[in-house]
Amino acid sequence: MHIKLLLLIFCIAVVSFSACKKNNDAPVVSTSIDSLNFVNASAQPFNIYLNGSRLINNSNLSIGGSSGYYTVPSGQQTYQVKKVFDPAGGVVTTLVNLPLNLAAHHYYSLFIPDDSASHAFTTIDTLRADTTAGTCLVRFVNASPASGSLDLSIGGVQYSNQAFKSVSGFSVVDTSSMSPIIINQSGTATQLINGHYPLLEGYIYTFYAKGSPNGTGNSALSVGVTVNGHP
């Protein structure tokens, strides 16, 4: 009699354990992710938020600065660009609300030229290793809404007739000396920018035009650079 009772209790315990285990199993969730680099091509520092939560917590994204690649969810997400906190007013002003729908498992850069959502744009960053000694990879992005089409020359490589929001492919450039950077208005010999930049072997660079030819101070036309990868 006692043996039968013990067997019955054991069976009930096994069934109860199985039911609890089944009910408490966490569902398998497939999370697709992207890598997103934020580029400040505007004339003021700002902060980036994802669906209302601040992404860059340690500091503001400075003028001409870039965040490096953040891991973010793919699919439809809303990004906000907000001004630096104003202690006098006690508020954080939103400059741009930007819904993005990014495909899974890609590298992207998000360029913010100003406080207009229509001017913000993303690039797909197709990164590859540069294994040739004495060279690096370079591309050009036109992030200047007011400049029209531009030509850029760097290290002997020419990017011609680049309209606003256009992005070139990555080209191999020699790193043996300080590389001259020249930006012209497309179709003219007028040099808008003339300078030099030290390129490092094995690095992946994006040079981008920002600001306006008629701007002054932080709004003046200039060249920014973000590093997409390095050895």
Side-chain angles (χ1 to χ4, degrees):
M1 187 74 176
H2 289 292
I3 293 175
K4 289 182 179 179
L5 181 60
L6 288 173
L7 286 174
L8 178 61
I9 292 171
F10 176 76
C11 291
I12 292 172
V14 169
V15 171
S16 299
F17 175 77
S18 298
C20 289
K21 185 175 184 296
K22 182 177 180 182
N23 290 338
N24 291 333
D25 271 352
V28 177
V29 178
S30 177
T31 303
S32 297
I33 59 173
D34 295 300
S35 295
L36 184 57
N37 175 36
F38 302 93
V39 181
N40 185 352
S42 76
Q44 61 181 314
F46 55 64
N47 296 308
I48 297 286
Y49 290 71
L50 169 58
N51 299 324
S53 297
R54 183 171 171 175
L55 277 180
I56 306 173
N57 291 316
N58 296 330
S59 61
N60 306 314
L61 191 57
S62 60
I63 300 168
S66 55
S67 67
Y69 288 102
Y70 272 75
T71 299
V72 298
S74 60
Q76 185 73 37
Q77 311 294 333
T78 299
Y79 295 87
Q80 296 91 25
V81 178
K82 298 187 178 184
K83 283 186 176 182
V84 175
F85 175 71
D86 177 14
V91 295
V92 177
T93 304
T94 299
L95 297 173
V96 175
N97 275 301
L98 193 64
L100 293 178
N101 192 353
L102 303 179
H105 309 305
H106 286 78
Y107 286 90
Y108 294 92
S109 289
L110 171 60
F111 287 82
I112 309 292
D114 51 32
D115 57 1
S116 171
S118 64
H119 286 167
F121 64 98
T122 57
T123 64
I124 297 177
D125 303 344
T126 305
L127 307 180
R128 69 181 193 274
D130 177 23
T131 58
T132 304
T135 66
C136 66
L137 295 174
V138 168
R139 70 173 178 177
F140 177 55
V141 172
N142 186 347
S144 171
S147 293
S149 294
L150 299 173
D151 299 337
L152 177 134
S153 173
I154 178 168
V157 176
Q158 182 81 25
Y159 303 98
S160 300
N161 200 28
Q162 299 289 298
F164 174 54
K165 296 187 180 182
S166 66
V167 52
S168 73
F170 286 100
S171 300
V172 177
V173 172
D174 180 49
T175 61
S176 60
S177 61
M178 287 279 286
S179 293
I181 299 175
I182 300 172
I183 289 185
N184 286 32
Q185 201 75 55
S186 291
T188 75
T190 304
Q191 291 188 3
L192 302 176
I193 292 175
N194 190 330
H196 291 78
Y197 192 88
L199 300 175
L200 299 178
E201 180 181 309
Y203 276 61
I204 306 173
Y205 298 95
T206 295
F207 288 89
Y208 58 95
K210 63 184 184 73
S212 168
N214 299 319
T216 59
N218 292 331
S219 298
L221 182 67
S222 61
V223 176
V225 60
T226 178
V227 175
N228 301 97
H230 57 81

